Amino acid sequence: MHSSFFPSVLATSLLFSTALAAPVIERDDAPTPTSTGADAALPSIPSSCTVSDYSSLSAAVSSCTALALSSLTVPADTTLDLTKLKAGATVIFQGTTSFTFSSSMTADLIKVTGKGITLAGAPGHIIDGNGGAWWDGLGSNGGVDKPDHFITLSKLTANSVVRDLSIRNWPVHCFQITGCSDLTISNITLDNSAGDAPNAASAGKPAAHNSDGFDVSSTTNLLLTDSSVRNQDDCVAITSGTGITVQNLDCDGGHGLSIGSIGGKSNNVVSNVIFQNSQIRNSENGARIKTNSGTTGTVSNITYSNIQLSGITTYGIDIQQDYLNGGPTGSPTNGVTIDGVTLRDVTGTVTGSKAKDYYILCGEGSCSNFDFEGVSVTGGTGDSCNFQPTGGFTC
């Protein structure tokens, strides 16, 4: 199945058509979705703005309002730098974009900044991060130096759009979305399934590790929609920001749809987040909120609506306030408050002897106004909730 991930667009589109039949929670401040796929015409690019050799990139960025990256190979120790685009510029990936390995590369491999930017893929394109050259089973926790993120969207504003991209084999985290506002990301296919298997450097563990799909921080008014993620870590992880809608996602193989971990960072406020009309399968967790022990911050107005779970191996629904050094301690603290968590029609199954349907571990007095309706996760044992949501839910 995983080797045919990219051709499985039909299956994913069927999921989206089913999900979209459910009620959609609208947000007044959300960016307006832009046409995607075959019905969204791409501009024609003159040869002077078509980049097939990296040495031509800087000149094209400075002079073109529409440019194509055509079967571009990015040299070792080099970032594909799109941080000086003209306002309103369009960048189109054509053919296969590839990246040359370097054991000393720790910077992001692609960086994009600008106002009113469109980043899109032409039919048949692939962006290949050459992750197998870096994968050693350790991700960002050690081993060979690796790029921090594969693609960083930083300060993309003014109704910028990132759409119709097919990305595979990123080294560690894929997208970092930070400092952005009024941004739409749609029709993205992320496939890191090749990292499931061990390699010569991973000591029998999956070669890819810490392979988050979308990491979001300090961002306002983001719509992430109609996308699929096959990876080994969080499908989406939001650590700060407000006015964020994530909808019509297919998350396979990772750690679920996550808020956190929150606390101990430069920005520790997450508010007004909606996850809706999505499925999470073959993953460690389903819906998850986690905060860091002994830190401060706020999490408020979080909604999970119409989320379908299957093959979850650890927690179907997980809210815990005891993370320290990246792992749980079992002793929650209350410096980060979590207020206003709504779950509607979150259903499905967990599997395995250690799986729990529900796990809620709040600090003293730090959780409030949880309302769960139409929530039914089955297959687990040893459920534990030290805070009881309203809505007829029973842990």
Side-chain angles (χ1 to χ4, degrees), residues 20-383:
L20 286 170
V24 176
I25 301 170
E26 301 289 353
R27 187 192 298 283
D28 292 339
D29 55 1
T32 301
T34 321
S35 180
T36 61
D39 60 344
L42 295 172
S44 57
I45 309 295
S47 58
S48 59
C49 293
T50 298
V51 178
S52 56
D53 185 281
Y54 191 83
S55 62
S56 305
L57 178 65
S58 179
V61 166
S62 64
S63 62
C64 300
T65 55
L67 60 151
L69 307 179
S70 180
S71 300
L72 185 65
T73 298
V74 180
D77 296 307
T78 302
T79 294
L80 177 52
D81 189 354
L82 301 173
T83 60
K84 298 179 181 179
L85 294 166
K86 290 180 173 292
T90 296
V91 179
I92 302 170
F93 288 88
Q94 300 174 343
T96 298
T97 304
S98 58
F99 297 80
T100 307
F101 171 74
S102 168
S103 61
S104 60
M105 183 61 172
T106 58
D108 303 328
L109 288 177
I110 305 173
K111 290 185 177 181
V112 187
T113 299
K115 297 180 178 180
I117 303 302
T118 296
L119 198 67
H125 83 286
I126 293 290
I127 305 172
D128 193 322
N130 191 24
W134 278 280
W135 293 338
D136 55 9
L138 296 172
S140 56
N141 296 327
V144 67
D145 285 341
K146 305 174 186 75
D148 184 26
H149 280 81
F150 181 57
I151 177 168
T152 291
L153 310 179
S154 176
K155 299 179 182 178
L156 272 182
T157 64
N159 294 308
S160 292
V161 175
V162 178
R163 63 176 177 88
D164 307 329
L165 297 181
S166 295
I167 299 173
R168 68 186 182 196
N169 304 333
W170 56 95
V172 194
H173 313 91
C174 192
F175 275 90
Q176 180 182 41
I177 303 158
T178 185
C180 298
S181 61
D182 304 314
L183 171 65
T184 297
I185 301 174
S186 64
N187 197 30
I188 308 298
T189 301
L190 303 184
D191 179 14
N192 226 32
S193 59
D196 286 343
N199 64 12
S202 67
K205 299 181 292 186
H209 192 67
N210 299 129
S211 57
D212 294 14
F214 298 93
D215 290 339
V216 182
S217 63
S218 299
T219 288
T220 302
N221 298 343
L222 167 68
L223 174 64
L224 169 58
T225 187
D226 298 317
S227 297
S228 55
V229 179
R230 177 70 184 88
N231 68 338
Q232 299 79 23
D233 210 307
D234 289 320
C235 180
V236 178
I238 300 172
T239 57
S240 57
T242 187
I244 297 166
T245 297
V246 178
Q247 65 184 26
N248 303 340
L249 258 64
D250 177 20
C251 302
D252 183 7
H255 293 179
L257 294 172
S258 300
I259 300 290
S261 56
I262 308 301
K265 303 178 175 69
S266 59
N267 185 341
N268 302 291
V269 177
V270 179
S271 65
N272 301 323
V273 174
I274 298 169
F275 296 102
Q276 64 183 351
N277 301 341
S278 298
Q279 74 170 3
I280 306 165
R281 52 199 174 96
N282 309 318
S283 299
E284 285 193 10
N285 308 290
R288 179 167 67 160
I289 300 174
K290 55 180 181 176
T291 69
N292 290 323
S293 180
T295 64
T296 60
T298 62
V299 178
S300 61
N301 298 327
I302 310 299
T303 297
Y304 289 84
S305 176
N306 189 33
I307 307 296
Q308 302 169 16
L309 311 178
S310 62
I312 305 301
T313 59
T314 305
Y315 300 121
I317 296 170
D318 176 29
I319 301 173
Q320 56 188 119
Q321 297 200 276
D322 64 337
Y323 267 69
L324 184 65
N325 299 323
T329 66
S331 300
T333 61
N334 60 3
V336 179
T337 60
I338 305 176
D339 177 58
V341 177
T342 300
L343 270 63
R344 293 284 184 272
D345 301 320
V346 178
T347 61
T349 58
V350 301
T351 185
S353 60
K354 297 182 179 180
K356 299 180 186 296
D357 305 320
Y358 315 114
Y359 184 64
I360 300 176
L361 183 65
C362 291
E364 183 177 357
S366 53
C367 292
S368 57
N369 298 314
F370 289 12
D371 188 63
F372 293 6
E373 294 185 13
V375 173
S376 177
V377 182
T378 61
T381 59
D383 297 347

